[in-house]
Amino acid sequence: MSDSVPEPAGTAGSAVGDIVAGYSFTGPALDLGALLWGGRAVPEAQIRVPLGMLNRHGLVAGATGTGKTKTLQLIAEQLSAQGVPVFLADVKGDVSGISEPGEAGERVTARAGEVGQRWEAGGCPAEFYALGGIGHGVPVRATVTSFGPVLLSKVLQLNRTQEQSLGLVFHYADGKGLELVDLKDLRAVVAFLVSDEGRGELKEIGGLSAATAGVILRSLTAFEQQGASAFFGEPEFDTGELLRTADGLGVVSLLELSAVQDRPQLFSTFLMWLLADLYHDLPEVGDLDRPKLVFFFDEAHLLFSDASKAFLEAITRTVRLIRSKGVGVFFVTQTPKDVPAEVLGQLGNRVQHALRAFTPDDQKALRATVRTFPDSPYDLEEVLTALGTGEAVVTVLSENGAPTPVAATRLRAPESLMGPLDPAALDAAVKGSALYGRYAEAVDRESAFERLAARGAEGAGREPGPGPGPESGSGPGRGREPSESESGSGSGSGAASDRESDRGKGAAAGRADPSLVEQVVGSGVFKSLARSVGTQLGREISRSLFGTARRR
């Protein structure tokens, strides 16, 4: 325990009273722990976070081994108990125990006694997922079309010019009705555009050089050789599955990432795809008394590393706007400086675990962290280096939206199993899931690769026409959102239950929009493209902030 945590300046009685008053909420709240004062916990001073403020986003930060994962587990199980679904990225594979009751022991009993916790073992309803089925979990896949050129460029580490060129390739494929389901579809379209037969098509879409197309093609080939093909394809995961409850409890969705830790750009960008997909599928709901979902984005620094300005702008806008969809996002990383200032400014709830200051860079990061907190009587540089495991400095948003007093806190112990689930039990849970039959087996239907291969075999010089729609029995697809002229209104998409029946509906052709290319690859990537496009270009997929395709 951290007996060396210094006491704040000022009179103890008045300072503790101010903190107690700052965390005395009238509505439902999550219990984080007890105030740390002079090296001991004060059970009478409970540190809490209002349930209704969790869609104002948050940050959980701290050095390795300081207890961030247990903090996520503590918050997640309380959200579940309040009927709020939770998404957790399980990077190290050690959070699966949340589905099972915890085990009492001396350390748990001691911690509970210190913080005034009535500890009772209990697990949460949980669903286990794995990217592309690599690992223990129901496979999570995305089609290349839905992933979009902006996120894919981040994964492929393309520069801005190459990202714009990839956007043009998507535009070409959409216009020709060449469905991009998996990576071989995209590779086939790029290869066609640099072939003798397809080289003339480059002039039609403009701005894409054969050299740049070759770079994209080589990047895709290398990406496939790394085993990335498993993550793209069908059946595509419906992010509405993350909003489920069971018997009044929120389902905790755990995406196991331990098997793909060596591909950090991939899994961090895939997490952003999940969040972006939720953003444009959910209706506006404003401020609710509790979130519809709380999304924990672990290893957040990977998302922002080497990100383009446009990519950061899209992240910032998504985080800012998704609050009105009822979704809270918590970024989890080592120091606040890992998160750009524009995003950090959106994070109203803070749980800062200990930081180390062994090097000049560490000391600089420590000082930068201190500056992100509200004014307080603490010497935060001293406090943050003295905290023990399972202790943190906390400030959250009160029920009226004002920051609460900064409080050094000894956190509660999770009531679920603190460790990985037994592998046999985990496999049984995965295969026993109602979702397993829906997503387990990959489907490879006719799409761009097969259509271009057929064209080459026939030796025909005609353009590839639009592909067969879902009505012809070609399998599951992903349609675009109808324009206002088609739907009769400008309203947003419906609930998750309505999306399932709309999957795969083809887009109707409409009037051409001459600014489409700019919208796809320039600043317009961050504008809604829910409109019809020209019959001469065939069918065009509507895209959102990250260029991801939108469902109806």
Side-chain angles (χ1 to χ4, degrees):
M1 299 301 175
S2 54
D3 294 337
S4 60
V5 172
E7 186 172 320
T11 304
S14 62
V16 171
D18 290 343
I19 292 174
V20 170
Y23 289 88
S24 297
F25 309 125
T26 58
L30 307 186
D31 296 310
L32 298 179
L35 176 68
L36 264 177
W37 196 269
R40 68 177 187 87
V42 183
E44 301 80 23
Q46 289 293 308
I47 307 304
R48 313 165 74 215
V49 54
L51 186 60
M53 288 292 109
L54 286 172
N55 72 330
R56 303 297 180 93
H57 311 318
L59 176 74
V60 178
T64 301
T66 55
K68 296 191 300 293
T69 300
K70 298 300 178 286
T71 297
L72 304 189
Q73 191 168 344
L74 172 68
I75 296 174
E77 63 187 23
Q78 291 189 66
L79 285 167
S80 176
Q82 295 274 6
V84 178
V86 177
F87 173 87
L88 280 173
D90 190 4
V91 176
K92 298 184 289 291
D94 56 359
V95 192
S96 56
I98 198 171
S99 63
E100 295 291 331
E103 299 173 349
E106 289 185 11
R107 295 179 65 184
V108 169
T109 301
R111 174 61 63 103
E114 290 164 359
V115 301
Q117 176 184 9
R118 294 182 58 186
W119 190 89
E120 294 182 7
C124 304
E127 198 74 63
F128 302 97
Y129 300 100
L131 281 186
I134 298 178
H136 300 280
V138 174
V140 174
R141 304 181 187 88
T143 64
V144 170
T145 285
S146 72
F147 207 73
V150 178
L151 290 176
L152 191 58
S153 295
K154 168 72 171 169
V155 173
L156 296 176
Q157 299 180 304
L158 302 181
N159 63 31
R160 180 61 176 160
T161 299
Q162 293 159 357
E163 176 186 318
Q164 292 174 338
S165 297
L166 185 61
L168 288 170
V169 173
F170 273 70
H171 166 60
Y172 171 80
D174 292 344
K176 299 300 182 183
L178 295 169
E179 293 180 276
L180 304 177
V181 174
D182 50 28
L183 289 178
K184 73 177 186 296
D185 288 325
L186 180 57
R187 181 163 47 81
V189 171
V190 178
F192 171 75
L193 289 173
V194 296
S195 69
D196 291 339
E197 182 182 0
R199 193 169 289 123
E201 306 283 343
L202 292 176
K203 296 179 181 179
E204 178 181 322
I205 60 177
L208 174 64
S209 69
T212 300
V215 171
I216 295 172
L217 185 61
R218 289 191 295 274
S219 297
L220 283 170
T221 301
F223 192 46
E224 286 183 298
Q225 290 173 346
Q226 294 170 12
S229 297
F231 308 120
F232 296 92
E234 291 179 325
E236 182 173 62
F237 182 69
D238 182 354
T239 51
E241 310 285 10
L242 304 179
L243 304 174
R244 297 161 56 218
T245 59
D247 299 325
L249 302 176
V251 172
V252 179
S253 299
L254 293 112
L255 180 63
E256 181 187 310
L257 297 172
S258 57
V260 292
Q261 284 191 78
D262 58 337
R263 280 163 275 190
Q265 291 280 358
L266 174 65
F267 75 68
S268 64
T269 311
F270 231 100
L271 293 181
M272 197 64 231
W273 172 77
L274 291 173
L275 193 59
D277 197 71
L278 284 164
Y279 164 75
H280 60 56
D281 276 357
L282 291 175
E284 295 279 343
V285 293
D287 288 325
L288 302 173
D289 60 351
R290 65 192 61 217
K292 298 176 71 171
L293 172 73
V294 176
F295 190 104
F296 289 92
F297 204 124
D298 205 358
E299 299 293 343
H301 65 283
L302 298 171
L303 180 69
F304 302 111
S305 176
D306 298 323
S308 67
K309 180 180 178 182
F311 190 80
L312 291 177
E313 288 175 352
I315 294 173
T316 304
R317 188 175 176 189
T318 301
V319 172
R320 184 174 69 250
L321 297 180
I322 203 169
R323 178 181 70 82
S324 64
K325 306 294 185 87
V327 177
V329 183
F330 275 69
F331 290 98
V332 186
T333 189
Q334 293 201 6
T335 72
K337 73 180 183 65
D338 294 333
V339 181
E342 295 81 2
V343 177
L344 192 62
Q346 306 292 325
L347 312 182
N349 304 295
R350 301 279 302 277
V351 180
Q352 177 67 59
H353 287 267
L355 291 174
R356 309 305 179 210
F358 300 136
T359 69
D361 285 343
D362 292 340
Q363 293 167 359
K364 183 178 178 180
L366 175 62
R367 288 191 293 271
T369 297
V370 169
R371 289 196 297 271
T372 65
F373 278 89
D375 291 338
S376 76
Y378 289 99
D379 181 344
L380 285 179
E381 285 194 34
E382 189 175 354
V383 169
L384 288 173
T385 55
L387 291 170
T389 301
E391 297 173 348
V393 169
V394 174
T395 180
V396 301
L397 292 181
S398 65
E399 291 167 312
N400 62 9
T404 59
V406 176
T409 306
R410 183 161 291 162
L411 298 168
R412 292 185 167 218
E415 296 181 345
S416 54
L417 183 63
M418 290 188 281
L421 200 61
D422 178 77
L426 180 56
D427 284 338
V430 171
K431 293 179 180 178
S433 167
L435 302 181
Y436 187 76
R438 189 180 309 172
Y439 295 108
E441 186 174 349
V443 176
D444 188 10
R445 63 183 175 89
E446 182 181 88
S447 48
F449 174 82
E450 289 79 11
R451 294 191 60 239
L452 288 171
R455 173 177 173 169
E458 293 170 3
R462 59 180 174 82
E463 287 186 347
E471 292 81 1
S472 66
S474 61
R478 183 170 177 139
R480 68 164 173 85
E481 184 177 358
S483 68
E484 292 183 13
S485 61
E486 292 172 282
S487 64
S489 70
S491 60
S493 55
S497 59
D498 297 326
R499 295 199 302 267
E500 188 66 26
S501 62
D502 288 331
R503 274 179 174 261
K505 292 185 178 179
R511 190 166 57 86
D513 184 344
S515 65
L516 182 62
V517 173
E518 178 188 357
Q519 290 174 325
V520 170
V521 299
S523 61
V525 166
F526 311 109
K527 301 176 182 177
S528 172
L529 302 183
R531 63 186 64 182
S532 300
V533 295
T535 53
Q536 76 272 25
L537 293 180
R539 183 180 58 192
E540 192 73 45
I541 304 295
S542 174
R543 301 193 185 279
S544 70
L545 294 178
F546 284 96
T548 55
R550 302 183 66 173
R551 296 187 185 96
R552 293 179 187 235

